[in-house]
Amino acid sequence: MSQQINPILPGFHPDPSIVRVGDDYYIAVSTFEWYPGVQIFHSVDLVNWKLVSRPLNRAALLDMTGCPDSCGIWAPCLSYAEGLFYLIYTNVKRFDGNFKDTPNYLTTCSTIDGEWSNPVYLNSSGFDPSLFHDDDGSKWLVNMLWDHRPNKHPFAGIVLQQYCHKQQKLIGTAVNIFAGSPHRLTEGPHLYKINDYYYLLTAEGGTSYEHACTFARSKHIAGPYEIDPNVHVLTSKDHLDKPLQRTGHGGLVQTQEGQWYLTHLLSRPLKLDDGVKRSPLGRETGIQALILHDDAWFRLASGEVYGEVNPIGLTVTPKRDFSHYDDFSTSILPCHYQWLRIPNPECFYSLTDKPGALTLYGKHSVGSTFKQALIARRQQHLSFVAQTQLRFKPMSFQQQAGLICYYNAHKFHYLYVSYDDEKGVHIDVMSCLGDESLKADFPIYQKRLPISSETVSLRAEVDNELLTFSYSVEKDVWLPICELDYSVISDEAGKGEGANFTGAFIGMCCQDLTGANIAAEFNYFDYQEKH
């Protein structure tokens, strides 16, 4: 296994917001349409991290039913003051078109893994809200301002407004404090007060290969803010040959010893033969060492604006093993699994109805934004093997269950069991390649291999951009079905290129378009890195 430090959170973990509380570090990352909302990780060395909380875990805090792909939870902000953790988040409701519906909320908790308070509504003027605690006790919200009007740039700057903790609402007037650099698309603001300056850290350039982190500073919280003379403290936009790409959207933290670090998102794209770049792992989290120079501007400790795989100052050995075998022998779903959008997964899955199995009850079609019976985990390696054993007895072509490699409604490969009058019970493959001209629910690759057993094992083997689907009805005898282009399961592929914000998931699902809620039993799920 590679010993490189970056990324510190492999796989889909974008928009990291970092805070230190004593000797403990916490990072909160975006989850978009995946439930529960927001993932919070803990570390004591900035290199090795453990998932400790998914705070938005009930309907009062989050319900994303019907939200489009790549909407939901964008760029949370985690902070700490007066014995409380504060979490600010957006639940984005609309993506396409000129408008954005972006309600912003605040929740608090005295412990990172406790029950977070019911949300306080803040505003809806834009996304990426962040809370700053000044040293005089005042609290300030910053967020990007969205302008939907024709002939206006939609990224209209960063606005500042005071928050009253006692009244639990924003007070005073919102002030636009920063228009951004000429690179534009200014978002992801975080405020920090260091010595005589307020530092405003923003993300710019969009979240693809022009992404960047930009600092501005002022001696007054409401500005005016001057831009860093170097403009960007971190970007890979001029280093497209390097292993870490799309570096940007960062958060600042200082160690007990006084060393500064910047957490940021990044990607590690596959480089295909035709020069195309694809990132199945999505946007991951990395870290870089910073130095605050005598001129009061931050620079990367490496002296460059490009982020390093092994940043200066971090020498702890990464201890990471994201492989898992789950036999579903307990009544609690392991924490590495998530589902889509809805706060009540008990309507489609059970770990107790059939002890020793995960039972999924068929719901909507693949790609529905309402009720999908789909439980999956992140891809965290470029090469891996995932497999499961399925017990399923479909009686209609409208009933399916199986193993899915899923990005969103427009990008997936699905190995499933179904039924039709001609073949009876059979195994088939359904793919959607991200092409808007194709129907997302039409099986564009079709085998229909009849099987006589109610129990079948399904396997996906991924080597970078190559996916091989196999099945087995006899122990340890695997029969390959097809090879597919796995790079489709990535940020850059197909519909909405440059505006896909999640990453590849691998998991189990069941559909029943008859409405009978047919049961599919999964006896285990195994995900193993390929070395």
Side-chain angles (χ1 to χ4, degrees), residues 75 77 88 90 104 122-123 125-132 139-145 157-163 170 175 177-178 187-192 199-202 221-222 225:
C77 171
I88 310 285
T90 312
N104 295 315
L122 298 171
N123 65 19
S125 60
F127 48 84
D128 294 359
S130 175
L131 190 66
F132 168 65
K139 302 181 187 302
W140 300 85
L141 185 79
V142 285
N143 61 266
M144 67 80 64
L145 180 66
I158 304 301
V159 292
L160 171 81
Q161 190 171 4
Q162 190 170 0
Y163 174 74
L170 295 173
V175 179
I177 61 172
F178 184 59
E187 57 186 336
H190 293 292
L191 268 174
Y192 307 91
Y199 288 86
L200 179 63
L201 175 63
T202 61
I221 193 168
Y225 281 81

Side-chain angles (χ1 to χ4, degrees), residues 193-199 218-220:
K193 190 175 185 180
I194 304 166
N195 300 327
D196 296 330
Y197 284 105
Y198 292 93
Y199 288 86
S218 174
K219 291 194 174 183
H220 305 281

Side-chain angles (χ1 to χ4, degrees), residues 392-400 416-428 446-454:
F392 185 52
K393 193 175 181 180
M395 296 171 286
S396 165
F397 70 92
Q398 293 180 306
Q399 297 170 333
Q400 304 161 344
Y416 64 92
V417 174
S418 189
Y419 173 91
D420 69 20
D421 293 337
E422 179 184 347
K423 295 284 187 176
V425 178
H426 60 271
I427 294 176
D428 207 343
Q446 200 165 19
K447 281 283 189 180
R448 289 197 302 162
L449 302 174
I451 56 172
S452 57
S453 173
E454 290 183 15

Side-chain angles (χ1 to χ4, degrees), residues 382-517:
L382 289 172
S383 296
F384 67 90
V385 177
Q387 63 188 52
T388 188
Q389 186 180 70
L390 169 66
R391 181 178 174 84
F392 185 52
K393 193 175 181 180
M395 296 171 286
S396 165
F397 70 92
Q398 293 180 306
Q399 297 170 333
Q400 304 161 344
L403 178 67
I404 191 164
C405 301
Y406 182 89
Y407 188 97
N408 62 20
H410 302 278
K411 294 183 282 192
F412 59 82
H413 293 303
Y414 185 17
L415 175 61
Y416 64 92
V417 174
S418 189
Y419 173 91
D420 69 20
D421 293 337
E422 179 184 347
K423 295 284 187 176
V425 178
H426 60 271
I427 294 176
D428 207 343
V429 175
M430 177 187 300
S431 292
C432 186
L433 306 181
D435 187 336
E436 293 180 81
S437 67
L438 298 173
K439 293 182 179 180
D441 55 356
F442 186 78
I444 63 170
Y445 189 100
Q446 200 165 19
K447 281 283 189 180
R448 289 197 302 162
L449 302 174
I451 56 172
S452 57
S453 173
E454 290 183 15
T455 301
V456 61
S457 297
L458 306 173
R459 183 168 71 179
E461 184 172 355
V462 171
D463 287 295
N464 297 299
E465 71 272 22
L466 178 65
L467 164 65
T468 303
F469 273 145
S470 306
Y471 77 101
S472 173
V473 291
E474 298 180 39
K475 185 176 181 181
D476 299 326
V477 178
W478 289 96
L479 303 174
I481 295 179
C482 61
E483 293 183 345
L484 298 167
D485 178 9
Y486 188 75
S487 74
V488 169
I489 316 298
S490 68
D491 292 359
E492 298 93 337
K495 181 179 185 290
E497 181 178 358
N500 296 290
F501 301 143
T502 55
F505 280 70
I506 305 91
M508 303 150 284
C509 61
C510 182
Q511 297 79 37
D512 189 347
L513 306 185
T514 73
N517 299 327

